[in-house]
Amino acid sequence: CRHLLDKDTFSKSDPLCVLYTQRPGCRQWREFGRTEVIDNTLNPDFLRKFVLDYFFEEKQNLRFDLYDVDSKSPDLSKHVSVGPALLHLGGTPGSPCPPHLVAHGPFRSGIPGKKCGTIILLAEELGNCRDVATLQFCANKLDKKDFFGKSDPFMVFYRSNEDGTFTICHKTEVVRNTLNPVWQAFTIPVRALCNGDYDRAIKVEVYDWDRDGSHDFIGEFTTSYRELARGQSQFNVYEVVNPRKKMKKKKYLNSGTVTLLSFAVESDHTFLDYIRGGTQINFTVAIDFTASNGNPSQSTSLHYLSPYQLNAYTMALKAVGEIIQDYDSDKMFPALGFGAKIPPDGHVSHEFPLNGNVANPACSGIEGVLEAYHRSLRSVQLYGPTNFAPVVNHVARSAAEVLDGSQYFVLLIITDGVISDMAQTKEAIVNAAKLPMSIIIVGVGQAEFDAMVELDGDDIRISSRGKVAERDIVQFVPFRDYVEGSGSAGLSMA
């Protein structure tokens, strides 16, 4: 973004950009993602990229909302809006996708004649390179830029585009008060560095960090991925040159040197690569049998088995299960219930097998799971509370036994209400996040699902006892968002 309207009184703005997209034929905007916040600048170059699927046959509208961030709150209403900019993705006539797109758009404040700045959008088709490089650099004898100290150097990496322009792709941390910094090793997709073109230019600029955002330029150098891939050698020692100094001073050599200390590359396999390689998916179902679902014999119950239409539990189970069963060769699916009094003694259980077999809760196919579910409804008493931790730990124990990539575990939890063991469930999910395991939670009925959204961890990664989950392994889906007014099963399952 360039020439933004300054919203801060005693400093420059701290901009954040939010991308919204529209579904085809829908006027509603949905948040797609947010950039990082850049402090004290009216001309930010945002580092975070958005990866969108491009459909050449559709007009894909994009809205970029810019905010001046005033606190750490994720709530956008707590920050000052600079204004939205509207653009759309589009390729050249006859081109199936935009190999390179540059678009400009003004931010509109809603006040006629008031300029809020401009957004510059650069888009490029992603190459298929899946390699990830880890690099570490140091520098020697950089220029001294601070009056009372040395310099506080950091480096900015730019990938060259097909039209000769450059796009920021990495920024190192700042090393304080030194002319000989050693930066931490960083990992970056090769696609981000050069889009898979090993000879494409990579420009590196070196700056002295200043608190007010007016960082002092020390110098720059150019390299390529092919050069960097040589690793530590005489080929990867670069003179940092300030072109202005070079023009002014005849005896000027450089403003220091930057040396590549280490280089390593490995392939970053996608989940589909694992499936192609033979990874089996183990699918487990956990169904909420708490009393808040209503008496199964009454038509108002979420568990009511109507001869005319499927209930929400059945639809959710079929929707997820019929996709996943294609990736499970034995088609045997453990099915559990929680929150009910079970026979013969009527004790409350949060981890009971729907087929009645404690030693082996697996059912044959999705139809087998449905039969066991219907049979359980006739034999158990719906009760409570709504505890998730036991079924999460049940699957986690199985996942912990197979860590070689040959198996992946998916737990589908279908529930109607407020969770009772939030602290224990958070701990179970944080522990499971390092295992080959994912959790899908489908919320049925009209209850508030705030706790489920928190477990989903899209905005804030969940934590327990100060330990943050390694991955976001939970996906929450509110079932009511996918049901037509007519209750069409087809749309709901899709």
Side-chain angles (χ1 to χ4, degrees), residues 296-322:
S297 64
Q298 297 177 358
S299 61
T300 53
S301 171
L302 293 166
H303 281 304
Y304 181 63
L305 300 177
S306 166
Y308 306 109
Q309 64 181 34
L310 305 177
N311 69 24
Y313 280 88
T314 302
M315 273 195 277
L317 201 158
K318 285 171 69 72
V320 179
E322 287 180 356

PDB file of all heavy atoms in Angstrom, residues 296-322:
ATOM      1  N   PRO A 296     -35.713 -39.260  22.079  1.00  0.00           N
ATOM      2  CA  PRO A 296     -35.639 -39.779  20.703  1.00  0.00           C
ATOM      3  C   PRO A 296     -36.973 -40.260  20.135  1.00  0.00           C
ATOM      4  O   PRO A 296     -37.125 -40.360  18.919  1.00  0.00           O
ATOM      5  CB  PRO A 296     -34.655 -40.945  20.817  1.00  0.00           C
ATOM      6  CG  PRO A 296     -33.843 -40.650  22.027  1.00  0.00           C
ATOM      7  CD  PRO A 296     -34.757 -39.948  22.977  1.00  0.00           C
ATOM      8  N   SER A 297     -37.922 -40.551  21.018  1.00  0.00           N
ATOM      9  CA  SER A 297     -39.219 -41.029  20.535  1.00  0.00           C
ATOM     10  C   SER A 297     -40.124 -39.895  20.075  1.00  0.00           C
ATOM     11  O   SER A 297     -41.181 -40.137  19.481  1.00  0.00           O
ATOM     12  CB  SER A 297     -39.921 -41.840  21.637  1.00  0.00           C
ATOM     13  OG  SER A 297     -40.209 -41.001  22.754  1.00  0.00           O
ATOM     14  N   GLN A 298     -39.724 -38.653  20.356  1.00  0.00           N
ATOM     15  CA  GLN A 298     -40.554 -37.503  19.974  1.00  0.00           C
ATOM     16  C   GLN A 298     -39.965 -36.809  18.745  1.00  0.00           C
ATOM     17  O   GLN A 298     -38.744 -36.704  18.588  1.00  0.00           O
ATOM     18  CB  GLN A 298     -40.654 -36.522  21.146  1.00  0.00           C
ATOM     19  CG  GLN A 298     -41.349 -37.120  22.372  1.00  0.00           C
ATOM     20  CD  GLN A 298     -41.384 -36.162  23.553  1.00  0.00           C
ATOM     21  OE1 GLN A 298     -40.850 -35.057  23.488  1.00  0.00           O
ATOM     22  NE2 GLN A 298     -42.028 -36.582  24.640  1.00  0.00           N
ATOM     23  N   SER A 299     -40.829 -36.275  17.901  1.00  0.00           N
ATOM     24  CA  SER A 299     -40.386 -35.697  16.621  1.00  0.00           C
ATOM     25  C   SER A 299     -39.550 -34.429  16.795  1.00  0.00           C
ATOM     26  O   SER A 299     -38.862 -34.011  15.871  1.00  0.00           O
ATOM     27  CB  SER A 299     -41.600 -35.398  15.736  1.00  0.00           C
ATOM     28  OG  SER A 299     -42.455 -34.461  16.380  1.00  0.00           O
ATOM     29  N   THR A 300     -39.624 -33.802  17.979  1.00  0.00           N
ATOM     30  CA  THR A 300     -38.832 -32.584  18.221  1.00  0.00           C
ATOM     31  C   THR A 300     -37.377 -32.901  18.561  1.00  0.00           C
ATOM     32  O   THR A 300     -36.535 -32.008  18.608  1.00  0.00           O
ATOM     33  CB  THR A 300     -39.445 -31.767  19.381  1.00  0.00           C
ATOM     34  OG1 THR A 300     -39.598 -32.623  20.520  1.00  0.00           O
ATOM     35  CG2 THR A 300     -40.796 -31.188  18.970  1.00  0.00           C
ATOM     36  N   SER A 301     -37.061 -34.176  18.798  1.00  0.00           N
ATOM     37  CA  SER A 301     -35.705 -34.569  19.191  1.00  0.00           C
ATOM     38  C   SER A 301     -34.760 -34.550  17.996  1.00  0.00           C
ATOM     39  O   SER A 301     -35.134 -34.916  16.874  1.00  0.00           O
ATOM     40  CB  SER A 301     -35.728 -35.967  19.801  1.00  0.00           C
ATOM     41  OG  SER A 301     -34.409 -36.440  20.005  1.00  0.00           O
ATOM     42  N   LEU A 302     -33.536 -34.158  18.242  1.00  0.00           N
ATOM     43  CA  LEU A 302     -32.510 -34.197  17.194  1.00  0.00           C
ATOM     44  C   LEU A 302     -32.142 -35.634  16.842  1.00  0.00           C
ATOM     45  O   LEU A 302     -31.548 -35.890  15.790  1.00  0.00           O
ATOM     46  CB  LEU A 302     -31.258 -33.436  17.653  1.00  0.00           C
ATOM     47  CG  LEU A 302     -31.424 -31.918  17.815  1.00  0.00           C
ATOM     48  CD1 LEU A 302     -30.246 -31.329  18.589  1.00  0.00           C
ATOM     49  CD2 LEU A 302     -31.537 -31.256  16.453  1.00  0.00           C
ATOM     50  N   HIS A 303     -32.492 -36.584  17.740  1.00  0.00           N
ATOM     51  CA  HIS A 303     -32.217 -38.006  17.491  1.00  0.00           C
ATOM     52  C   HIS A 303     -33.441 -38.747  16.936  1.00  0.00           C
ATOM     53  O   HIS A 303     -33.414 -39.974  16.795  1.00  0.00           O
ATOM     54  CB  HIS A 303     -31.779 -38.701  18.790  1.00  0.00           C
ATOM     55  CG  HIS A 303     -30.350 -38.471  19.165  1.00  0.00           C
ATOM     56  ND1 HIS A 303     -29.297 -38.768  18.325  1.00  0.00           N
ATOM     57  CD2 HIS A 303     -29.776 -37.968  20.309  1.00  0.00           C
ATOM     58  CE1 HIS A 303     -28.140 -38.479  18.925  1.00  0.00           C
ATOM     59  NE2 HIS A 303     -28.416 -37.980  20.127  1.00  0.00           N
ATOM     60  N   TYR A 304     -34.510 -38.038  16.639  1.00  0.00           N
ATOM     61  CA  TYR A 304     -35.739 -38.674  16.171  1.00  0.00           C
ATOM     62  C   TYR A 304     -35.503 -39.383  14.831  1.00  0.00           C
ATOM     63  O   TYR A 304     -34.964 -38.800  13.889  1.00  0.00           O
ATOM     64  CB  TYR A 304     -36.849 -37.642  16.017  1.00  0.00           C
ATOM     65  CG  TYR A 304     -38.167 -38.219  15.550  1.00  0.00           C
ATOM     66  CD1 TYR A 304     -38.859 -39.153  16.324  1.00  0.00           C
ATOM     67  CD2 TYR A 304     -38.716 -37.830  14.326  1.00  0.00           C
ATOM     68  CE1 TYR A 304     -40.066 -39.683  15.904  1.00  0.00           C
ATOM     69  CE2 TYR A 304     -39.936 -38.347  13.886  1.00  0.00           C
ATOM     70  CZ  TYR A 304     -40.604 -39.281  14.681  1.00  0.00           C
ATOM     71  OH  TYR A 304     -41.802 -39.802  14.257  1.00  0.00           O
ATOM     72  N   LEU A 305     -35.891 -40.656  14.756  1.00  0.00           N
ATOM     73  CA  LEU A 305     -35.702 -41.446  13.541  1.00  0.00           C
ATOM     74  C   LEU A 305     -37.006 -41.460  12.753  1.00  0.00           C
ATOM     75  O   LEU A 305     -37.885 -42.298  12.967  1.00  0.00           O
ATOM     76  CB  LEU A 305     -35.261 -42.867  13.892  1.00  0.00           C
ATOM     77  CG  LEU A 305     -33.935 -42.975  14.666  1.00  0.00           C
ATOM     78  CD1 LEU A 305     -33.621 -44.423  15.037  1.00  0.00           C
ATOM     79  CD2 LEU A 305     -32.801 -42.384  13.843  1.00  0.00           C
ATOM     80  N   SER A 306     -37.118 -40.508  11.852  1.00  0.00           N
ATOM     81  CA  SER A 306     -38.320 -40.394  11.037  1.00  0.00           C
ATOM     82  C   SER A 306     -38.242 -41.345   9.848  1.00  0.00           C
ATOM     83  O   SER A 306     -37.169 -41.525   9.264  1.00  0.00           O
ATOM     84  CB  SER A 306     -38.457 -38.951  10.524  1.00  0.00           C
ATOM     85  OG  SER A 306     -39.413 -38.880   9.489  1.00  0.00           O
ATOM     86  N   PRO A 307     -39.380 -41.944   9.474  1.00  0.00           N
ATOM     87  CA  PRO A 307     -39.368 -42.801   8.276  1.00  0.00           C
ATOM     88  C   PRO A 307     -39.291 -41.981   6.983  1.00  0.00           C
ATOM     89  O   PRO A 307     -39.089 -42.545   5.901  1.00  0.00           O
ATOM     90  CB  PRO A 307     -40.706 -43.550   8.375  1.00  0.00           C
ATOM     91  CG  PRO A 307     -41.586 -42.661   9.202  1.00  0.00           C
ATOM     92  CD  PRO A 307     -40.680 -41.949  10.161  1.00  0.00           C
ATOM     93  N   TYR A 308     -39.417 -40.660   7.090  1.00  0.00           N
ATOM     94  CA  TYR A 308     -39.506 -39.817   5.898  1.00  0.00           C
ATOM     95  C   TYR A 308     -38.231 -39.027   5.597  1.00  0.00           C
ATOM     96  O   TYR A 308     -37.954 -38.700   4.447  1.00  0.00           O
ATOM     97  CB  TYR A 308     -40.692 -38.851   6.025  1.00  0.00           C
ATOM     98  CG  TYR A 308     -41.987 -39.552   6.325  1.00  0.00           C
ATOM     99  CD1 TYR A 308     -42.575 -39.441   7.585  1.00  0.00           C
ATOM    100  CD2 TYR A 308     -42.610 -40.340   5.358  1.00  0.00           C
ATOM    101  CE1 TYR A 308     -43.769 -40.095   7.865  1.00  0.00           C
ATOM    102  CE2 TYR A 308     -43.804 -41.005   5.634  1.00  0.00           C
ATOM    103  CZ  TYR A 308     -44.379 -40.876   6.892  1.00  0.00           C
ATOM    104  OH  TYR A 308     -45.545 -41.531   7.163  1.00  0.00           O
ATOM    105  N   GLN A 309     -37.466 -38.679   6.631  1.00  0.00           N
ATOM    106  CA  GLN A 309     -36.241 -37.919   6.365  1.00  0.00           C
ATOM    107  C   GLN A 309     -35.173 -38.242   7.409  1.00  0.00           C
ATOM    108  O   GLN A 309     -35.489 -38.685   8.525  1.00  0.00           O
ATOM    109  CB  GLN A 309     -36.511 -36.408   6.345  1.00  0.00           C
ATOM    110  CG  GLN A 309     -36.985 -35.826   7.670  1.00  0.00           C
ATOM    111  CD  GLN A 309     -37.263 -34.328   7.563  1.00  0.00           C
ATOM    112  OE1 GLN A 309     -37.708 -33.847   6.528  1.00  0.00           O
ATOM    113  NE2 GLN A 309     -37.005 -33.609   8.638  1.00  0.00           N
ATOM    114  N   LEU A 310     -33.915 -38.015   7.041  1.00  0.00           N
ATOM    115  CA  LEU A 310     -32.799 -38.298   7.938  1.00  0.00           C
ATOM    116  C   LEU A 310     -32.689 -37.218   9.004  1.00  0.00           C
ATOM    117  O   LEU A 310     -32.936 -36.036   8.734  1.00  0.00           O
ATOM    118  CB  LEU A 310     -31.493 -38.341   7.139  1.00  0.00           C
ATOM    119  CG  LEU A 310     -31.427 -39.310   5.950  1.00  0.00           C
ATOM    120  CD1 LEU A 310     -30.090 -39.172   5.229  1.00  0.00           C
ATOM    121  CD2 LEU A 310     -31.629 -40.742   6.411  1.00  0.00           C
ATOM    122  N   ASN A 311     -32.321 -37.628  10.233  1.00  0.00           N
ATOM    123  CA  ASN A 311     -32.056 -36.590  11.246  1.00  0.00           C
ATOM    124  C   ASN A 311     -30.654 -36.015  11.045  1.00  0.00           C
ATOM    125  O   ASN A 311     -29.865 -36.514  10.237  1.00  0.00           O
ATOM    126  CB  ASN A 311     -32.267 -37.127  12.672  1.00  0.00           C
ATOM    127  CG  ASN A 311     -31.228 -38.161  13.091  1.00  0.00           C
ATOM    128  OD1 ASN A 311     -30.110 -38.197  12.566  1.00  0.00           O
ATOM    129  ND2 ASN A 311     -31.591 -39.015  14.045  1.00  0.00           N
ATOM    130  N   ALA A 312     -30.355 -34.928  11.750  1.00  0.00           N
ATOM    131  CA  ALA A 312     -29.091 -34.207  11.543  1.00  0.00           C
ATOM    132  C   ALA A 312     -27.884 -35.082  11.847  1.00  0.00           C
ATOM    133  O   ALA A 312     -26.854 -35.005  11.166  1.00  0.00           O
ATOM    134  CB  ALA A 312     -29.068 -32.950  12.412  1.00  0.00           C
ATOM    135  N   TYR A 313     -27.992 -35.954  12.873  1.00  0.00           N
ATOM    136  CA  TYR A 313     -26.875 -36.828  13.225  1.00  0.00           C
ATOM    137  C   TYR A 313     -26.569 -37.786  12.072  1.00  0.00           C
ATOM    138  O   TYR A 313     -25.405 -38.009  11.704  1.00  0.00           O
ATOM    139  CB  TYR A 313     -27.199 -37.620  14.501  1.00  0.00           C
ATOM    140  CG  TYR A 313     -26.997 -36.824  15.770  1.00  0.00           C
ATOM    141  CD1 TYR A 313     -28.015 -36.031  16.289  1.00  0.00           C
ATOM    142  CD2 TYR A 313     -25.778 -36.859  16.442  1.00  0.00           C
ATOM    143  CE1 TYR A 313     -27.830 -35.291  17.448  1.00  0.00           C
ATOM    144  CE2 TYR A 313     -25.580 -36.128  17.607  1.00  0.00           C
ATOM    145  CZ  TYR A 313     -26.612 -35.340  18.102  1.00  0.00           C
ATOM    146  OH  TYR A 313     -26.419 -34.607  19.247  1.00  0.00           O
ATOM    147  N   THR A 314     -27.616 -38.359  11.499  1.00  0.00           N
ATOM    148  CA  THR A 314     -27.426 -39.300  10.400  1.00  0.00           C
ATOM    149  C   THR A 314     -26.832 -38.605   9.179  1.00  0.00           C
ATOM    150  O   THR A 314     -25.915 -39.121   8.521  1.00  0.00           O
ATOM    151  CB  THR A 314     -28.769 -39.954  10.028  1.00  0.00           C
ATOM    152  OG1 THR A 314     -29.296 -40.614  11.185  1.00  0.00           O
ATOM    153  CG2 THR A 314     -28.589 -40.965   8.909  1.00  0.00           C
ATOM    154  N   MET A 315     -27.346 -37.414   8.859  1.00  0.00           N
ATOM    155  CA  MET A 315     -26.845 -36.683   7.694  1.00  0.00           C
ATOM    156  C   MET A 315     -25.375 -36.313   7.851  1.00  0.00           C
ATOM    157  O   MET A 315     -24.584 -36.470   6.918  1.00  0.00           O
ATOM    158  CB  MET A 315     -27.680 -35.417   7.450  1.00  0.00           C
ATOM    159  CG  MET A 315     -28.902 -35.665   6.602  1.00  0.00           C
ATOM    160  SD  MET A 315     -29.601 -34.129   5.971  1.00  0.00           S
ATOM    161  CE  MET A 315     -30.588 -33.609   7.352  1.00  0.00           C
ATOM    162  N   ALA A 316     -24.998 -35.831   9.042  1.00  0.00           N
ATOM    163  CA  ALA A 316     -23.601 -35.436   9.269  1.00  0.00           C
ATOM    164  C   ALA A 316     -22.684 -36.646   9.183  1.00  0.00           C
ATOM    165  O   ALA A 316     -21.600 -36.592   8.590  1.00  0.00           O
ATOM    166  CB  ALA A 316     -23.468 -34.759  10.633  1.00  0.00           C
ATOM    167  N   LEU A 317     -23.146 -37.765   9.750  1.00  0.00           N
ATOM    168  CA  LEU A 317     -22.329 -38.975   9.747  1.00  0.00           C
ATOM    169  C   LEU A 317     -22.126 -39.483   8.316  1.00  0.00           C
ATOM    170  O   LEU A 317     -21.007 -39.829   7.914  1.00  0.00           O
ATOM    171  CB  LEU A 317     -23.039 -40.036  10.590  1.00  0.00           C
ATOM    172  CG  LEU A 317     -22.217 -41.186  11.141  1.00  0.00           C
ATOM    173  CD1 LEU A 317     -22.920 -41.785  12.336  1.00  0.00           C
ATOM    174  CD2 LEU A 317     -21.982 -42.253  10.086  1.00  0.00           C
ATOM    175  N   LYS A 318     -23.202 -39.502   7.530  1.00  0.00           N
ATOM    176  CA  LYS A 318     -23.091 -39.971   6.152  1.00  0.00           C
ATOM    177  C   LYS A 318     -22.236 -39.024   5.310  1.00  0.00           C
ATOM    178  O   LYS A 318     -21.436 -39.457   4.477  1.00  0.00           O
ATOM    179  CB  LYS A 318     -24.495 -40.109   5.531  1.00  0.00           C
ATOM    180  CG  LYS A 318     -25.269 -41.324   6.024  1.00  0.00           C
ATOM    181  CD  LYS A 318     -26.711 -41.300   5.547  1.00  0.00           C
ATOM    182  CE  LYS A 318     -26.824 -41.518   4.038  1.00  0.00           C
ATOM    183  NZ  LYS A 318     -26.519 -42.930   3.667  1.00  0.00           N
ATOM    184  N   ALA A 319     -22.411 -37.709   5.529  1.00  0.00           N
ATOM    185  CA  ALA A 319     -21.697 -36.722   4.715  1.00  0.00           C
ATOM    186  C   ALA A 319     -20.185 -36.872   4.846  1.00  0.00           C
ATOM    187  O   ALA A 319     -19.459 -36.898   3.855  1.00  0.00           O
ATOM    188  CB  ALA A 319     -22.117 -35.307   5.120  1.00  0.00           C
ATOM    189  N   VAL A 320     -19.715 -36.971   6.085  1.00  0.00           N
ATOM    190  CA  VAL A 320     -18.268 -37.080   6.317  1.00  0.00           C
ATOM    191  C   VAL A 320     -17.788 -38.497   6.053  1.00  0.00           C
ATOM    192  O   VAL A 320     -16.773 -38.723   5.393  1.00  0.00           O
ATOM    193  CB  VAL A 320     -17.919 -36.640   7.754  1.00  0.00           C
ATOM    194  CG1 VAL A 320     -16.421 -36.775   8.000  1.00  0.00           C
ATOM    195  CG2 VAL A 320     -18.362 -35.207   8.005  1.00  0.00           C
ATOM    196  N   GLY A 321     -18.547 -39.458   6.538  1.00  0.00           N
ATOM    197  CA  GLY A 321     -18.118 -40.853   6.456  1.00  0.00           C
ATOM    198  C   GLY A 321     -18.009 -41.383   5.045  1.00  0.00           C
ATOM    199  O   GLY A 321     -17.079 -42.128   4.717  1.00  0.00           O
ATOM    200  N   GLU A 322     -18.951 -41.018   4.186  1.00  0.00           N
ATOM    201  CA  GLU A 322     -18.943 -41.565   2.830  1.00  0.00           C
ATOM    202  C   GLU A 322     -17.779 -41.026   1.991  1.00  0.00           C
ATOM    203  O   GLU A 322     -17.394 -41.636   0.997  1.00  0.00           O
ATOM    204  CB  GLU A 322     -20.287 -41.301   2.148  1.00  0.00           C
ATOM    205  CG  GLU A 322     -21.394 -42.194   2.728  1.00  0.00           C
ATOM    206  CD  GLU A 322     -22.752 -41.957   2.082  1.00  0.00           C
ATOM    207  OE1 GLU A 322     -22.852 -41.033   1.234  1.00  0.00           O
ATOM    208  OE2 GLU A 322     -23.701 -42.679   2.424  1.00  0.00           O
TER     209      GLU A 322
END
